[in-house]
Amino acid sequence: MINHIWGLLSNPGREWRNIDRERESITNLYARHVLLMALIPVVSAFIGTTQIGWQLGGDAYQVAVPTAAVLGIVFYILMLIGVAIMGNVIHWMSDSFASRPSRSRCIIFAGYVATPLFIAGIALLYPKAWLLLIVGIIALAYSARLLYVGMPAFLRIPVNEGLTISGGTLAIGVLVLELLLALTVALWGLGFNDYAVSWSLFR
């Protein structure tokens, strides 16, 4: 739930055990955590891109409000799907282990591991490339820590096995994140009159 945020940031080992005791469902995870947390980058991006604009080189490109609204909705949906995808990836990677966790448990795990990335979305209030890069690296590093600590504490996967899964999951997670961002940016070229932004990002 939303009240697990501080615990995951300050004492992840203890908080993973608290989450484990709650035995929540995927429905509860989304209703009480993911749906709310995913709003952080969406709302921040909406404000940042419409009021300040993408900082690309020396120029700033503001996005029209209707465009930003559509992109926000699409990005929000993609993030919700992304959590489920990562949960399934973790479940698939744990296939060879005797202590393989259930699919729903892996999705719940992925939802909480994504917490630092959701919080990092605040940086989109000022969408400048160097700031997003720094905040993104820090968020990924902390998500990696949550992965490593949570494997034995929540998924019951031994540390030596969890290290392998953590590394693979983080690598795939980065690829999924990049894909989500690429899909969102690509939408600027679908008749939204923001071709300059799309071209500048991919140039």
Side-chain angles (χ1 to χ4, degrees):
M1 290 185 287
I2 205 77
N3 60 348
H4 290 304
I5 296 174
W6 175 247
L8 287 170
L9 297 178
S10 62
N11 194 329
R14 181 179 63 193
E15 200 60 32
W16 276 125
R17 291 188 289 273
N18 291 337
I19 295 171
D20 183 35
R21 285 193 291 270
E22 290 181 358
R23 301 191 179 281
E24 66 180 314
S25 64
I26 295 177
T27 301
N28 285 336
L29 168 76
Y30 271 83
R32 300 178 182 180
H33 187 81
V34 176
L35 290 175
L36 297 174
M37 294 300 295
L39 286 174
I40 295 176
V42 171
V43 174
S44 298
F46 180 84
I47 296 172
T49 56
T50 58
Q51 302 304 311
I52 297 177
W54 287 103
Q55 301 289 316
L56 303 171
D59 301 315
Y61 298 91
Q62 286 188 337
V63 180
V65 171
T67 300
V70 172
L71 290 172
I73 292 171
V74 172
F75 192 42
Y76 185 68
I77 293 172
L78 288 175
M79 283 189 291
L80 301 183
I81 295 173
V83 169
I85 291 175
M86 289 312 303
N88 279 279
V89 167
I90 295 171
H91 185 253
W92 169 71
M93 293 187 71
S94 64
D95 182 50
S96 61
F97 302 131
S99 55
R100 187 187 193 192
S102 67
R103 187 182 305 275
S104 67
R105 197 170 183 82
C106 290
I107 293 175
I108 291 169
F109 181 69
Y112 285 113
V113 165
T115 298
L117 296 174
F118 289 139
I119 295 175
I122 294 175
L124 288 167
L125 285 169
Y126 185 62
K128 199 170 181 65
W130 64 266
L131 176 63
L132 298 179
L133 178 62
I134 292 173
V135 174
I137 290 174
I138 294 172
L140 281 171
Y142 212 91
S143 286
R145 182 186 178 198
L146 292 182
L147 268 169
Y148 181 72
V149 175
M151 286 290 176
F154 185 76
L155 294 185
R156 309 285 197 278
I157 295 176
V159 174
N160 59 327
E161 297 175 346
L163 185 61
T164 302
I165 297 179
S166 296
T169 301
L170 185 63
I172 295 174
V174 171
L175 292 176
V176 170
L177 178 63
E178 290 178 350
L179 177 61
L180 292 178
L181 292 174
L183 287 174
T184 303
V185 171
L187 290 175
W188 267 298
L190 297 180
F192 289 130
N193 298 319
D194 283 307
Y195 298 106
V197 178
S198 297
W199 176 246
S200 296
L201 287 174
F202 286 111
R203 191 165 51 184

